[in-house]
Amino acid sequence: MTPEGLPARRAALRILDAVLRRGQTMDNAAQAARDLPPADAALASAIAGETLRRLPDLDALIDGATRQPLPDDSKARMVLRLALAQKIGLGTADHALVATALPLVDGGPRRLVHGVLGTLLRKGMPTFDAPRLPQAVEQRWNAAWGDEVVQAARRAIAHRPPLDLSFADHAAESEFPEGLSLAPLHRRLDHHGSITMLPGFGEGRWWVQDLAASLPARLIPAGARRVLDACAAPGGKTMQLAAAGHEVTALDRSESRLARLADNLKRTGLKAETVVADALDWSPTEPFDAVLLDAPCSATGTFRRHPEVLYRARPSIISGSAELQSQLLERSAAWVRPGGSLVYSVCSLEPEEGEQGIEAFLSARPDFRIEPAPPLVDGVTPHPRGWLRVLPDMLEAQGGLDGFFTAHLVRTA
Ligand SMILES: C[S@@+](CC[C@H](N)C(=O)[O-])C[C@H]1O[C@@H](n2cnc3c(N)ncnc32)[C@H](O)[C@@H]1O
C-alpha cells in the first residue's frame, strides 16, 4: 500500500537534488512536481524549502546519529534531511515521516535511515530558531557586515517573510483594509496563502514587491519625464515608475519574463513601452532623463524567500555577476542625458555587486557623482557615501527586509 503523501515526498526529493546537485533555482526545480495535484506540488516545494532553510543544522543532527558520515549527496542523507525538515519546519507527525521516508530509499539503506530517524525522533528535535547558513556564506558575510548581521540572517532564514504590497496611488492604498504601512504606497501582511484571494487583486490595485525592492524607483526624480527601466521584468519597478507618472520604456532580454511584465501592466492598467533586447547590444534613439538599472545578480539578498540562493552563489558566480553588472552600468551610463539620473540596484548582499561596483564605476567616470539618498524608510539609514544598503538586521521587529543595495548617480557632464 502506498503511504499517503508519498508522491509529494518523491517530488521534494527530486527538487532538493536538482537544487543541490544541479544548481537549479527552486522555481525551475519545482517543475519536478508539475504533474501532481496543486496541494501535493505545494507540499513538495514547502518540504524542499524548509530543508534548505536549515540544511547545515540538519546535517549536524544526521552526522551526530551516524557512525560513518554519509556522503553529502547520498540518497540516505537527502531523505533524512527531508524527513527532519518536515518535523521541524512543518510539524509533521512521526509516523507519517517514517512511513513516507522509507519507500524513498527502497533498494537502498532502508534500515540505516529507519534507525537514524528513530534515534533522532526519540531524542526530540531542537527548534532551530536561528539555523546556521552555509559556512562559506557566513564567512563572507561576517567579513563584509559583521557577526550581528550574520546572526540576524540566521534568525531571518528560519521563517518565510511577510508579504509586502506596493500600491499605484494613495487612494488604492487607503482602500486596502489591513496591514502595516512602513512607507508611502506600502502595506505589509502576515499572509502566506494565494495572493489572488486578497482584496483588490483582480482590479490590479496593488502588486507584490518586497519593501527593499521598492526603494530604487523611489530614488528616480519626480521631474524625470522619459525613464528607461533597463532590466525590467517582471516589472515591479516599471509599475512603480508608470504609477508615478513617468513615460517608461521597459527593456529586458527575456521574452517570457517580459510577457509577465505585460500581464502585470494589463492587470494594473499601467502603461509602459516594452522592448525585448539585450542591453549589451541595444541603443536608444535619444538619451533618457533617467535610467534605472536593476541588474541581474546573485540574488543572495532574497535568501528568506529563496534559501537556495545561498547554495548557488559560489564566488565564481558572484564575480561573473559583478563583471556583467560593470558592463551593464557602462552601457546604461551612455543612455543618460547630462544632468540626468542613473539609479543602480541589486538584490544582493555581496559588496562586490554593490558598493565595490559603484566605487569602481565612479573612479572610472568622473562625469558621474552620487546623489545622497534620502531616508526613505525609518530604520534604513543612508550610508555616509550616499547609497542605501539594506541588511538582514534592519526592521527585524517588523518582519525584516530583503538584502538590497541601491545608489542614485547623476551625470554631471
Ligand atoms: C533583477 S531582475 C529585474 C527585476 C525587475 N526590475 C523588477 O523589479 O521586477 C533582472 C532582469 O534582467 C534581465 N537581464 C539580464 N541580463 C540582461 C541583459 N543583458 N539585457 C537585458 N536584460 C537583462 C533578466 O531577464 C531579468 O529579468
Side-chain angles (χ1 to χ4, degrees), residues 230-237 251-254 257 277-280 294-296 328:
C231 286
K237 297 170 188 70
L251 179 130
D252 203 284
R253 74 167 177 198
S254 159
R257 286 173 64 92
D278 189 323
L280 295 176
D294 184 35
L328 288 169

Side-chain angles (χ1 to χ4, degrees), residues 237-293:
K237 297 170 188 70
T238 298
M239 289 186 278
Q240 282 180 283
L241 295 169
H246 304 289
E247 238 171 68
V248 188
T249 303
L251 179 130
D252 203 284
R253 74 167 177 198
S254 159
E255 205 167 342
S256 58
R257 286 173 64 92
L258 259 188
R260 276 174 62 202
L261 179 144
D263 283 348
N264 280 328
L265 288 173
K266 198 166 158 210
R267 184 176 67 82
T268 52
L270 294 164
K271 302 256 172 306
E273 184 193 341
T274 56
V275 180
V276 187
D278 189 323
L280 295 176
D281 51 43
W282 175 85
S283 287
T285 45
E286 55 175 319
F288 289 88
D289 298 320
V291 175
L292 192 155
L293 173 61

Side-chain angles (χ1 to χ4, degrees), residues 19-214:
V19 167
L20 292 178
R21 288 207 301 150
R22 282 181 272 131
Q24 288 192 14
T25 61
M26 272 288 280
D27 283 351
N28 285 341
Q31 292 295 317
R34 68 176 180 276
D35 295 334
L36 296 182
D40 281 354
L43 178 59
S45 289
I47 295 172
E50 292 301 324
T51 307
L52 290 164
R53 285 186 191 284
R54 38 184 78 80
L55 199 65
D57 284 335
L58 297 178
D59 279 343
L61 277 181
I62 295 165
D63 291 341
T66 46
R67 253 183 243 124
Q68 302 265 329
L70 297 170
D72 211 32
D73 56 359
S74 65
K75 204 175 206 183
R77 185 183 285 281
M78 294 283 194
V79 169
L80 285 166
R81 287 165 165 170
L82 291 171
L84 297 175
Q86 288 169 68
K87 175 77 183 167
I88 298 166
L90 302 174
T92 310
D94 292 3
H95 63 88
L97 290 182
V98 177
T100 53
L102 296 183
L104 299 181
V105 277
D106 262 350
R110 214 181 137 103
R111 275 186 51 203
L112 173 99
V113 167
H114 199 177
V116 172
L117 254 186
T119 307
L120 290 172
L121 291 173
R122 269 194 305 279
K123 263 210 267 177
M125 219 54 70
T127 53
F128 294 137
D129 293 331
R132 277 177 290 167
L133 313 176
Q135 199 181 18
V137 175
E138 291 208 343
Q139 282 169 353
R140 213 164 62 221
W141 290 359
N142 214 327
W145 316 116
D147 185 53
E148 274 181 32
V149 169
V150 171
Q151 296 305 326
R154 284 183 174 193
R155 291 190 291 275
I157 201 171
H159 309 285
R160 283 187 294 162
L163 181 72
D164 284 340
L165 306 183
S166 284
F167 293 82
D169 54 52
H170 293 288
E173 189 195 348
S174 64
E175 282 165 20
F176 195 82
E178 51 186 307
L180 171 71
S181 182
L182 294 166
L185 305 177
H186 164 262
R187 288 294 176 88
R188 172 161 287 189
L189 310 179
D190 196 14
H191 175 91
H192 298 288
S194 159
I195 57 157
T196 55
M197 302 310 284
L198 289 173
F201 174 83
E203 299 81 52
R205 309 305 298 267
W206 48 261
W207 56 94
V208 172
Q209 184 174 42
D210 190 84
L211 177 58
S214 79

